[in-house]
Amino acid sequence: MGDRSKSERAEKPDRSERPEKLDVPQGTLELMILTILSREPLHGYGISQRLAALSGDRFKVNPGSLFPSLYRLEQDGKLKAEWRASDNNRNAKYYRLTSAGRKQLEQHRQRWDLTAFAVNSVLEGA
């Protein structure tokens, strides 16, 4: 067991090639869920996968954050859910936006645009 040879160490993938994992910025998970669901209905795992794919694998949301958010959005009338078979024939709860959810998405998006502009202005020294 001791020291590994240089060739063994060289075979390990370079960490710089993998995207840096980032925490989902506070207050943006709901915005991202609503945005993803504005495109098509998906189940929870599908939402998680889409978020990872769209962020270049930088954002990974854990189920302990995702599912309470989905539950809250459903209870608030922003999402409607129905059980149906997924692609692998398992029963899954699919979520879709309601009209109230679309309105909420628009409000979240406007607030995000203002926030991003303000932060960028500070970073650029405006």
Side-chain angles (χ1 to χ4, degrees):
M1 294 221 224
D3 210 20
R4 294 189 312 194
S5 72
K6 282 184 182 178
S7 64
E8 285 178 303
R9 286 190 302 251
E11 290 175 19
K12 283 184 79 174
D14 183 7
R15 286 187 154 276
S16 64
E17 292 177 15
R18 287 185 254 159
E20 180 183 351
K21 301 294 181 210
L22 301 171
D23 291 331
V24 173
Q26 186 174 356
T28 64
L29 181 57
E30 194 172 287
L31 169 62
M32 290 190 279
I33 290 170
L34 293 172
T35 300
I36 289 167
L37 292 175
S38 72
R39 297 175 181 132
E40 67 177 309
L42 288 170
H43 51 73
Y45 181 72
I47 294 167
S48 175
Q49 294 300 105
R50 184 68 46 86
L51 177 60
L54 290 172
S55 69
D57 272 339
R58 286 179 176 80
F59 291 146
K60 297 261 183 176
V61 63
N62 70 45
S65 298
L66 178 62
F67 287 98
S69 293
L70 290 170
Y71 178 79
R72 189 172 46 257
L73 287 165
E74 184 181 6
Q75 293 302 304
D76 291 345
K78 310 298 191 255
L79 299 179
K80 182 86 173 147
E82 68 176 340
W83 289 94
R84 62 182 192 203
S86 65
D87 292 340
N88 62 3
N89 255 353
R90 290 189 174 170
N91 212 20
K93 194 173 189 180
Y94 278 75
Y95 298 90
R96 67 174 174 78
L97 247 56
T98 62
S99 58
R102 290 194 188 285
K103 189 177 288 188
Q104 182 73 28
L105 172 57
E106 186 178 316
Q107 291 169 350
H108 273 307
R109 183 61 198 242
Q110 288 173 355
R111 192 167 45 249
W112 172 254
D113 289 344
L114 290 171
T115 301
F117 177 78
V119 169
N120 205 29
S121 294
V122 171
L123 295 177
E124 298 299 322

